[in-house]
PDB file of all heavy atoms in Angstrom:
ATOM      1  N   ARG A  61      10.436   1.901  -7.270  1.00  0.00           N
ATOM      2  CA  ARG A  61      11.165   1.724  -6.012  1.00  0.00           C
ATOM      3  C   ARG A  61      10.739   2.814  -5.030  1.00  0.00           C
ATOM      4  O   ARG A  61      10.711   3.991  -5.382  1.00  0.00           O
ATOM      5  CB  ARG A  61      12.658   1.802  -6.286  1.00  0.00           C
ATOM      6  CG  ARG A  61      13.540   1.537  -5.098  1.00  0.00           C
ATOM      7  CD  ARG A  61      15.003   1.588  -5.540  1.00  0.00           C
ATOM      8  NE  ARG A  61      15.900   1.260  -4.481  1.00  0.00           N
ATOM      9  CZ  ARG A  61      16.457   0.069  -4.299  1.00  0.00           C
ATOM     10  NH1 ARG A  61      16.211  -0.906  -5.137  1.00  0.00           N
ATOM     11  NH2 ARG A  61      17.274  -0.138  -3.285  1.00  0.00           N
ATOM     12  N   VAL A  62      10.440   2.406  -3.798  1.00  0.00           N
ATOM     13  CA  VAL A  62      10.076   3.333  -2.732  1.00  0.00           C
ATOM     14  C   VAL A  62      10.968   3.045  -1.539  1.00  0.00           C
ATOM     15  O   VAL A  62      11.069   1.894  -1.102  1.00  0.00           O
ATOM     16  CB  VAL A  62       8.586   3.185  -2.331  1.00  0.00           C
ATOM     17  CG1 VAL A  62       8.268   4.060  -1.125  1.00  0.00           C
ATOM     18  CG2 VAL A  62       7.673   3.529  -3.500  1.00  0.00           C
ATOM     19  N   GLU A  63      11.599   4.096  -1.003  1.00  0.00           N
ATOM     20  CA  GLU A  63      12.462   3.955   0.167  1.00  0.00           C
ATOM     21  C   GLU A  63      12.034   4.972   1.211  1.00  0.00           C
ATOM     22  O   GLU A  63      11.853   6.143   0.898  1.00  0.00           O
ATOM     23  CB  GLU A  63      13.926   4.208  -0.214  1.00  0.00           C
ATOM     24  CG  GLU A  63      14.471   3.246  -1.237  1.00  0.00           C
ATOM     25  CD  GLU A  63      15.890   3.586  -1.662  1.00  0.00           C
ATOM     26  OE1 GLU A  63      16.576   4.361  -0.956  1.00  0.00           O
ATOM     27  OE2 GLU A  63      16.314   3.072  -2.707  1.00  0.00           O
ATOM     28  N   GLY A  64      11.868   4.524   2.458  1.00  0.00           N
ATOM     29  CA  GLY A  64      11.520   5.440   3.544  1.00  0.00           C
ATOM     30  C   GLY A  64      10.371   4.938   4.382  1.00  0.00           C
ATOM     31  O   GLY A  64      10.496   3.937   5.080  1.00  0.00           O
ATOM     32  N   ARG A  65       9.220   5.616   4.281  1.00  0.00           N
ATOM     33  CA  ARG A  65       8.041   5.259   5.070  1.00  0.00           C
ATOM     34  C   ARG A  65       6.810   5.396   4.194  1.00  0.00           C
ATOM     35  O   ARG A  65       6.683   6.357   3.437  1.00  0.00           O
ATOM     36  CB  ARG A  65       7.927   6.184   6.277  1.00  0.00           C
ATOM     37  CG  ARG A  65       6.743   5.873   7.181  1.00  0.00           C
ATOM     38  CD  ARG A  65       6.768   6.712   8.443  1.00  0.00           C
ATOM     39  NE  ARG A  65       6.337   8.077   8.227  1.00  0.00           N
ATOM     40  CZ  ARG A  65       5.086   8.501   8.414  1.00  0.00           C
ATOM     41  NH1 ARG A  65       4.148   7.664   8.808  1.00  0.00           N
ATOM     42  NH2 ARG A  65       4.770   9.756   8.213  1.00  0.00           N
ATOM     43  N   VAL A  66       5.902   4.411   4.319  1.00  0.00           N
ATOM     44  CA  VAL A  66       4.659   4.422   3.558  1.00  0.00           C
ATOM     45  C   VAL A  66       3.495   4.380   4.531  1.00  0.00           C
ATOM     46  O   VAL A  66       3.454   3.526   5.420  1.00  0.00           O
ATOM     47  CB  VAL A  66       4.567   3.204   2.600  1.00  0.00           C
ATOM     48  CG1 VAL A  66       3.212   3.148   1.930  1.00  0.00           C
ATOM     49  CG2 VAL A  66       5.693   3.233   1.581  1.00  0.00           C
ATOM     50  N   GLU A  67       2.553   5.311   4.353  1.00  0.00           N
ATOM     51  CA  GLU A  67       1.329   5.315   5.151  1.00  0.00           C
ATOM     52  C   GLU A  67       0.166   5.642   4.223  1.00  0.00           C
ATOM     53  O   GLU A  67       0.018   6.771   3.765  1.00  0.00           O
ATOM     54  CB  GLU A  67       1.428   6.334   6.279  1.00  0.00           C
ATOM     55  CG  GLU A  67       0.317   6.196   7.292  1.00  0.00           C
ATOM     56  CD  GLU A  67       0.536   7.072   8.504  1.00  0.00           C
ATOM     57  OE1 GLU A  67       1.674   7.142   9.004  1.00  0.00           O
ATOM     58  OE2 GLU A  67      -0.448   7.702   8.936  1.00  0.00           O
ATOM     59  N   VAL A  68      -0.632   4.606   3.922  1.00  0.00           N
ATOM     60  CA  VAL A  68      -1.743   4.727   2.983  1.00  0.00           C
ATOM     61  C   VAL A  68      -2.986   4.180   3.677  1.00  0.00           C
ATOM     62  O   VAL A  68      -2.954   3.071   4.227  1.00  0.00           O
ATOM     63  CB  VAL A  68      -1.460   3.918   1.699  1.00  0.00           C
ATOM     64  CG1 VAL A  68      -2.632   3.943   0.755  1.00  0.00           C
ATOM     65  CG2 VAL A  68      -0.205   4.445   1.010  1.00  0.00           C
ATOM     66  N   SER A  69      -4.072   4.931   3.653  1.00  0.00           N
ATOM     67  CA  SER A  69      -5.271   4.483   4.353  1.00  0.00           C
ATOM     68  C   SER A  69      -6.038   3.397   3.595  1.00  0.00           C
ATOM     69  O   SER A  69      -6.829   2.683   4.186  1.00  0.00           O
ATOM     70  CB  SER A  69      -6.199   5.670   4.625  1.00  0.00           C
ATOM     71  OG  SER A  69      -6.653   6.216   3.412  1.00  0.00           O
ATOM     72  N   LYS A  70      -5.786   3.259   2.309  1.00  0.00           N
ATOM     73  CA  LYS A  70      -6.498   2.262   1.500  1.00  0.00           C
ATOM     74  C   LYS A  70      -5.550   1.146   1.089  1.00  0.00           C
ATOM     75  O   LYS A  70      -4.718   0.737   1.882  1.00  0.00           O
ATOM     76  CB  LYS A  70      -7.154   2.949   0.322  1.00  0.00           C
ATOM     77  CG  LYS A  70      -8.180   3.970   0.812  1.00  0.00           C
ATOM     78  CD  LYS A  70      -9.120   4.415  -0.226  1.00  0.00           C
ATOM     79  CE  LYS A  70     -10.109   5.365   0.460  1.00  0.00           C
ATOM     80  NZ  LYS A  70     -10.984   6.004  -0.421  1.00  0.00           N
ATOM     81  N   ALA A  71      -5.650   0.653  -0.137  1.00  0.00           N
ATOM     82  CA  ALA A  71      -4.841  -0.489  -0.582  1.00  0.00           C
ATOM     83  C   ALA A  71      -3.453  -0.047  -1.037  1.00  0.00           C
ATOM     84  O   ALA A  71      -3.306   0.920  -1.779  1.00  0.00           O
ATOM     85  CB  ALA A  71      -5.549  -1.213  -1.723  1.00  0.00           C
ATOM     86  N   PHE A  72      -2.445  -0.789  -0.606  1.00  0.00           N
ATOM     87  CA  PHE A  72      -1.065  -0.587  -1.044  1.00  0.00           C
ATOM     88  C   PHE A  72      -0.626  -1.876  -1.706  1.00  0.00           C
ATOM     89  O   PHE A  72      -0.626  -2.934  -1.075  1.00  0.00           O
ATOM     90  CB  PHE A  72      -0.158  -0.245   0.151  1.00  0.00           C
ATOM     91  CG  PHE A  72       1.263   0.018  -0.249  1.00  0.00           C
ATOM     92  CD1 PHE A  72       1.608   1.194  -0.893  1.00  0.00           C
ATOM     93  CD2 PHE A  72       2.250  -0.911   0.009  1.00  0.00           C
ATOM     94  CE1 PHE A  72       2.924   1.439  -1.265  1.00  0.00           C
ATOM     95  CE2 PHE A  72       3.566  -0.674  -0.355  1.00  0.00           C
ATOM     96  CZ  PHE A  72       3.907   0.501  -0.994  1.00  0.00           C
TER      97      PHE A  72
END
Side-chain angles (χ1 to χ4, degrees):
R61 184 178 184 99
V62 174
E63 299 176 17
R65 181 173 77 94
V66 174
E67 191 172 317
V68 176
S69 64
K70 298 196 177 173
F72 182 74

